[in-house]
Amino acid sequence: MAPYIIAIINQKGGAGKTTLAMNLAAGLSQRAKTIVIDLDPQGSSLQWADMGKDVFSTPVEALAGNWSTFDLKHKYQVYQYIVLDCPPSLDSHTSLQALLACDLALIPVLPSPIDLWASIRLSQEIEKTREINPNIQAFLVINQLEANSALSSAMYDALKEFNIPVLNTMIRRRAAYRSAALEGVSVYQMKGLGKRAVEEIEAIINEVIPL
């Protein structure tokens, strides 16, 4: 069976792509063989995995240069899930190729209309991608929502600008995510401190990823 490819993508930096990619991969690895492919020239996923004294729960590799969907699936065919941590730009072969290759695109966005509008080009690119990759699914993931806060009416108005559905699961701003990054682990490895964060990642997996 061909690997199921998940691209974590946003044209704007600071939206939490690497945090989602690493923790999502950690959750998936408890179900099946999973790998993170770091496509960002800054190497954020690789740096994350290198931070820890403990081995990160999922292998993380870089993939540079021009590559095709066939190359990706063939090279990593032993994995059931491939999580792509994409660059913070759509003006590259890498980001566009990730959209062409993936089965699912998850787009983390901060709970701010300004941040959401800054990402609107991505919606247009996904529509173009469907001409070649018609089966791609795409979802917005609200990230770093403050505890006990709700989305503002302005945010809901901004979401209407997109032709991309929003996941029911929202990721709260939690210390566990920051601590996991500093320690080079996933929230799954943080035991009690990571409990609520793990529940969020599990909810995302259960909502959109075929198991």
Side-chain angles (χ1 to χ4, degrees):
M1 185 172 64
Y4 187 81
I5 301 173
I6 305 151
I8 312 298
I9 191 166
N10 193 314
Q11 70 191 62
K12 184 179 183 299
K17 292 189 303 297
T18 300
T19 296
L20 179 56
M22 296 294 274
N23 288 295
L24 184 70
L28 289 171
S29 70
Q30 298 194 358
R31 296 158 167 86
K33 202 166 185 179
T34 303
I35 188 169
V36 177
I37 305 300
D38 193 339
L39 300 177
D40 189 340
Q42 297 177 4
S44 299
S45 295
L46 287 168
Q47 291 174 23
W48 182 315
D50 287 343
M51 285 288 290
K53 295 178 182 177
D54 298 327
V55 176
F56 190 77
S57 56
T58 306
V60 181
E61 292 186 10
L63 183 63
N66 291 338
W67 48 270
S68 68
T69 301
F70 175 82
D71 296 333
L72 185 71
K73 291 186 175 182
H74 180 71
K75 183 174 182 179
Y76 300 107
Q77 60 185 313
V78 299
Y79 294 94
Q80 183 169 336
Y81 297 106
I82 300 173
V83 179
L84 306 177
D85 187 10
C86 298
S89 170
L90 291 179
D91 298 318
S92 71
H93 168 85
T94 301
S95 292
L96 296 178
Q97 185 58 44
L99 287 177
L100 292 174
C102 74
D103 300 287
L104 171 67
L106 293 180
I107 307 155
V109 292
L110 301 183
S112 153
I114 294 173
D115 285 280
L116 189 61
W117 283 322
S119 305
I120 200 163
R121 182 186 160 200
L122 186 52
S123 175
Q124 299 163 351
E125 290 297 335
I126 288 173
E127 286 305 308
K128 292 180 184 177
T129 298
R130 286 199 168 105
E131 297 174 7
I132 302 172
N133 182 10
N135 295 322
I136 184 176
Q137 289 187 295
F139 296 91
L140 297 170
V141 185
I142 305 300
N143 190 28
Q144 298 185 30
L145 187 67
E146 294 288 350
N148 302 317
S149 67
L151 294 182
S152 67
S153 58
M155 187 66 179
Y156 279 112
D157 289 341
L159 288 169
K160 293 175 184 176
E161 301 279 340
F162 285 74
N163 295 320
I164 300 174
V166 184
L167 287 192
N168 294 322
T169 305
M170 300 182 191
I171 299 175
R172 300 279 177 176
R173 183 187 291 273
R174 299 187 187 279
Y177 291 114
R178 296 190 295 275
S179 297
L182 289 171
E183 295 177 24
V185 297
S186 75
V187 292
Y188 288 81
Q189 295 168 273
M190 301 193 70
K191 300 181 180 179
L193 178 61
K195 180 182 177 182
R196 296 299 183 191
V198 167
E199 290 173 354
E200 289 173 348
I201 300 300
E202 287 291 303
I204 290 173
I205 291 172
N206 291 330
E207 191 171 346
V208 293
I209 296 176
L211 299 173

